[in-house]
Amino acid sequence: MSRTRIIVLTLLAMTAFAGNSLLCRFALKHTGIDAASFTSIRLISGAVALCLIVQIRGGRRDTAGSWLSALALFAYAYGFSFAYTSLAAATGALLLFAAVQATMISYGLWTGECLCRRQYAGLICAYGGLVSLLWPGLSAPPLPGSILMLVAGVAWGIYSLRGRNAGDPLMATTGNFCRAVFFTTVLSLVLFSRASLDSSGIGAAVVSGALASGVGYAIWYAALRRLNATRAATVQLSVPVIAAVGGLVFLGEPVTLRLLIAATAILGGIAVVIIDKPCAS
């Protein structure tokens, strides 16, 4: 695979990840769909798209994935959607990926990985940025939505950690999406009396699930084959930036000074932890 193709695939994947934030925020702010219905349609559409991709590849999904991973995927998707009922696209993406990276870094420390002083300084910087973003004030994001997005990020981090040894990533993701359909169907039935649908909201959920999630993940896995772990983790830090630009251009959402300062501290601190080499154990 050529260097140019790797760059193009990576850019497309990061745009797809940011697109999920934009589509979800658009649907829940500008259409009549509710968060639970959006998530159900997103997961079902993603499962269908991934099954089609696997079918084209000639693979089988019957033994791929796991119920625990599917539960983590479900928890991420629902926390993500309900958080975006109150958060701006850029703020949500920043909180999400900060929680994802923090979860994966914390797991590494818990399992015996050792960080150098610069990396610990990076962690302090990142958590300080997160505190500054959530600290009460006129421009602070709503706390309930922020907590939900952080929970979604932890769930996605757990899902990512469980997927490292899951074999073929595309096959595992397809199996997990298909299993997650069970969870989302049950919850949608429980919340059926509160369901609200319209054509625009359904369309956004289908695009989010089939393209930004299903095809987006497939593209990302193709790029991952040529990216080492450090580069793969680092490029994901671009997602909140893309989401901020998209939120400004397509949704008319402002980018506040508070968000810019917090984003610099969070993304810069995490980048130091990821890029710098760990000390010897």
Side-chain angles (χ1 to χ4, degrees):
M1 185 182 296
S2 69
R3 181 184 181 88
T4 300
R5 187 180 180 188
I6 294 171
I7 294 173
V8 170
L9 289 175
T10 301
L11 179 60
L12 287 174
M14 296 305 100
T15 302
F17 291 167
N20 272 323
S21 293
L22 297 173
L23 287 165
C24 186
R25 179 58 175 162
F26 164 77
L28 297 177
K29 182 179 180 181
H30 298 289
T31 78
I33 196 169
D34 65 288
S37 297
F38 179 92
T39 307
S40 291
I41 295 172
R42 177 191 174 189
L43 288 175
I44 293 171
S45 299
V48 171
L50 286 164
C51 285
L52 289 174
I53 294 172
V54 170
Q55 188 68 28
I56 292 172
R57 278 185 31 173
R60 296 178 59 189
R61 61 168 180 82
D62 51 354
T63 59
S66 71
W67 284 103
L68 285 178
S69 293
L71 182 60
L73 175 63
F74 166 77
Y76 147 74
Y78 263 85
F80 181 88
S81 295
F82 279 93
Y84 266 129
T85 60
S86 61
L87 296 180
T91 302
L94 178 61
L95 290 171
L96 176 70
F97 279 88
V100 170
Q101 299 292 348
T103 300
M104 299 183 75
I105 292 169
S106 297
Y107 176 80
L109 292 174
W110 183 63
T111 55
E113 293 183 11
C114 182
L115 302 182
C116 67
R117 291 182 179 179
R118 287 189 300 274
Q119 290 173 308
Y120 278 114
L123 276 180
I124 294 173
C125 180
Y127 285 116
L130 185 60
V131 170
S132 71
L133 179 64
L134 300 179
W135 194 263
L138 292 177
S139 58
L143 187 59
S146 299
I147 293 174
L148 279 172
M149 190 60 83
L150 291 174
V151 170
V154 171
W156 183 254
I158 293 172
Y159 178 81
S160 300
L161 288 168
R162 287 185 55 82
R164 292 188 304 174
N165 300 315
D168 185 335
L170 177 59
M171 297 292 291
T173 300
T174 302
N176 291 332
F177 261 80
C178 290
R179 288 176 174 86
V181 169
F182 168 78
F183 294 118
T184 194
T185 300
V186 170
L187 189 55
S188 289
L189 290 175
V190 172
L191 299 176
F192 181 76
S193 61
R194 303 179 184 179
S196 175
L197 298 170
D198 66 15
S199 58
S200 297
I202 293 173
V206 170
V207 173
S208 175
L211 295 181
S213 297
V215 177
Y217 295 163
I219 292 173
W220 177 230
Y221 291 144
L224 277 176
R225 295 177 181 178
R226 301 297 180 180
L227 293 174
N228 60 34
T230 298
R231 289 178 179 174
T234 304
V235 295
Q236 292 184 71
L237 301 180
S238 65
V239 175
V241 178
I242 299 172
V245 174
L248 178 66
V249 174
F250 298 110
L251 303 179
E253 296 180 343
V255 179
T256 65
L257 179 61
R258 182 175 189 152
L259 178 62
L260 288 174
I261 293 174
T264 301
I266 293 171
L267 301 183
I270 292 174
V272 169
V273 177
I274 294 173
I275 295 172
D276 212 343
K277 294 181 179 181
C279 65
S281 299

